[in-house]
Amino acid sequence: MIEVSHLTKRYGPNTALVDVNFSVEGSGVVGFLGPNGAGKSTTMNIITGYLSATSGTVNVEGHDILDDADEAKRNIGYLPELPPLYMDMTVEEYLGFLFDLKKVQKSKKEHIGQICRRTGIDQVYTRLIGNLSKGYRQRVGLAQALLGDPPVLILDEPTVGLDPKQIIEIRNLIKTLGKTHTVILSSHILQEIEVTCGRIIIINNGKVVADGTQEELAETVEPQRLLVEIEAPKAEVQESLKNLPHVEDSELMGEAEPGVWKFSLKECGDTRREVFQMCKNEDWTLLSMSGRHNTLEDIFLRLTNGTVDNRIGDRSGKSGNSKNVRSTVANAVGYTVPETDEDLAREQDGKADNDASVKEDS
């Protein structure tokens, strides 16, 4: 278990992290995403004890990373972006050296052999690390992180620079490790996070702006939309779509082909049968109907560009109510969420008054 509470880090006048909170319990792979300079590496360095925080705490398996550093670090396996390998050592020598350095209380030969088989490096056990491919070097890096069988694994860009085959191999290995370990995976490869992680934390400008499964984040950024192509008079279709019970909004995407109009429907329920029945009643031709899901790329770009629906928030491992969810992202972009609907109405009235004043002045 990892518990990060109110973590703030400043470098002189510059603030890298601002009140970061999240917790990870049990086994599984958690993706840690953010643009360059967002605070990912700083957070991971603080969790592993490499850096100290300006304020806030990090607990690993119940041990404070500062007050009880030895015990906390004993529970962490860390693979940095560039694995700390000695190229003039064999795999056997390297893992044996780190086994002794970490003071692992297990049978040396049996434990290292088990890790080598698990990471798929048993066939290169006697070879020089400097003669291994980059994929095998990454595996050796993972093997050193597993020495001592720590319950928490922190992996920073574990597939950077690998070819597609090696990426798949390392990805599958991480999935396997996630069945028995708490794994935090930092990566710039969105597809890797998408297929590997059950939960995603997104950090931007030093603040957690989203925390949840991809499905949860997709729904809160923007609900799924239904895409339809209908061969019929444009104006009549537009009017009919607006009157469907479960269509909140319809957007004309353009003319897919002569006489065929493509619409994007924002739903508040399942509208497929309604659209089908509408076309049947009007004797229109329904050519296609498909759902459009937000990809992780859509979610990431919306959150890190600031075009965020202010309903996403930091769960700290738990689902929050809509007020808390709105507040977290809004605070991250410097906006105060109205406490009540009346507050929101007053705010909107104020904006309208300001707009009117601007027009009068101009």
Side-chain angles (χ1 to χ4, degrees):
M1 174 184 177
I2 298 176
E3 187 171 1
V4 175
S5 180
H6 302 292
L7 208 61
T8 296
K9 177 64 178 177
R10 297 187 183 90
Y11 297 96
N14 300 314
T15 302
L17 298 177
V18 183
D19 197 35
V20 170
N21 296 276
F22 64 86
S23 62
V24 184
E25 299 182 28
S27 59
V29 184
V30 177
F32 198 52
L33 282 176
N36 289 330
K40 297 191 307 299
S41 295
T42 299
T43 303
M44 298 181 90
N45 284 333
I46 292 174
I47 291 174
T48 56
Y50 184 73
L51 284 177
S52 60
T54 303
S55 62
T57 60
V58 174
N59 278 277
V60 181
E61 297 295 312
H63 304 284
D64 187 279
I65 195 64
L66 289 181
D67 297 339
D68 196 6
D70 288 346
E71 283 302 317
K73 291 178 181 179
R74 195 168 282 120
N75 285 282
I76 298 173
Y78 180 40
L79 175 64
E81 183 175 346
L82 297 176
L85 304 176
Y86 293 99
M87 299 300 171
D88 56 348
M89 283 186 174
T90 65
V91 174
E92 178 183 11
E93 291 168 341
Y94 174 71
L95 294 179
F97 168 66
L98 288 180
F99 181 96
D100 296 335
L101 198 63
K102 291 185 176 184
K103 300 178 181 178
V104 178
Q105 302 298 311
K106 293 177 180 287
S107 167
K108 187 174 185 177
K109 184 176 181 180
E110 182 180 341
H111 183 58
I112 292 178
Q114 183 184 42
I115 288 174
C116 287
R117 288 189 295 273
R118 192 174 189 184
T119 54
I121 59 173
D122 47 322
Q123 295 181 352
V124 297
Y125 187 56
T126 58
R127 291 179 57 183
L128 281 174
I129 293 174
N131 293 337
L132 299 179
S133 68
K134 190 158 187 179
Y136 271 115
R137 290 179 191 175
Q138 287 294 92
R139 287 175 179 269
V140 174
L142 271 174
Q144 65 80 24
L146 289 169
L147 286 171
D149 198 24
V152 174
L153 297 175
I154 298 179
L155 312 178
D156 191 1
E157 302 285 353
T159 61
V160 66
L162 302 185
D163 65 38
K165 183 175 183 294
Q166 293 169 336
I167 288 175
I168 292 171
E169 291 172 349
I170 296 296
R171 184 187 296 160
N172 290 336
L173 178 56
I174 292 170
K175 282 183 178 180
T176 301
L177 292 172
K179 295 177 182 178
T180 53
H181 295 74
T182 298
V183 181
I184 294 184
L185 171 63
S186 172
S187 177
H188 283 94
I189 305 173
L190 298 182
Q191 183 188 10
E192 181 174 296
I193 297 292
E194 201 164 18
V195 300
T196 307
C197 303
R199 175 181 163 198
I200 300 167
I201 298 172
I202 299 178
I203 188 170
N204 190 38
N205 294 325
K207 303 175 184 179
V208 172
V209 295
D211 183 354
T213 65
Q214 183 175 337
E215 291 75 19
E216 290 170 341
L217 301 188
E219 282 299 312
T220 49
V221 168
E222 181 183 29
Q224 176 183 325
R225 299 183 76 95
L226 185 69
L227 302 180
V228 297
E229 291 185 358
I230 301 173
E231 186 176 20
K234 178 177 67 173
E236 294 179 27
V237 176
Q238 284 180 303
E239 188 62 30
S240 296
L241 287 173
K242 290 178 183 178
N243 294 326
L244 293 180
H246 292 101
V247 173
E248 288 187 357
D249 176 59
S250 65
E251 178 186 354
L252 177 63
M253 305 292 288
E255 193 173 17
E257 55 187 90
V260 178
W261 303 97
K262 186 172 184 177
F263 293 88
S264 173
L265 309 181
K266 184 178 181 181
E267 305 173 282
C268 58
D270 191 344
T271 63
R272 292 174 299 173
R273 289 178 179 82
E274 295 172 6
V275 172
F276 178 82
Q277 194 62 45
M278 176 193 75
C279 292
K280 180 181 177 182
N281 293 342
E282 299 293 339
D283 198 25
W284 295 336
T285 303
L286 177 62
L287 293 178
S288 73
M289 183 161 48
S290 61
R292 182 191 183 280
H293 298 270
N294 284 306
T295 65
L296 184 55
E297 182 178 2
D298 295 330
I299 297 166
F300 181 79
L301 291 177
R302 286 175 184 271
L303 288 170
T304 55
N305 285 339
T307 56
V308 185
D309 182 325
N310 59 3
R311 290 177 293 171
I312 301 177
D314 171 13
R315 301 184 312 159
S316 295
K318 302 175 183 178
S319 297
N321 60 43
S322 59
K323 174 63 178 61
N324 292 336
V325 166
R326 289 198 307 268
S327 298
T328 301
V329 173
N331 290 337
V333 296
Y335 170 69
T336 302
V337 176
E339 292 291 331
T340 65
D341 291 338
E342 288 77 15
D343 292 338
L344 179 60
R346 281 195 294 272
E347 179 184 288
Q348 290 172 338
D349 289 341
K351 287 181 179 177
D353 292 341
N354 289 338
D355 291 343
S357 298
V358 170
K359 289 180 181 178
E360 289 174 4
D361 292 341
S362 60

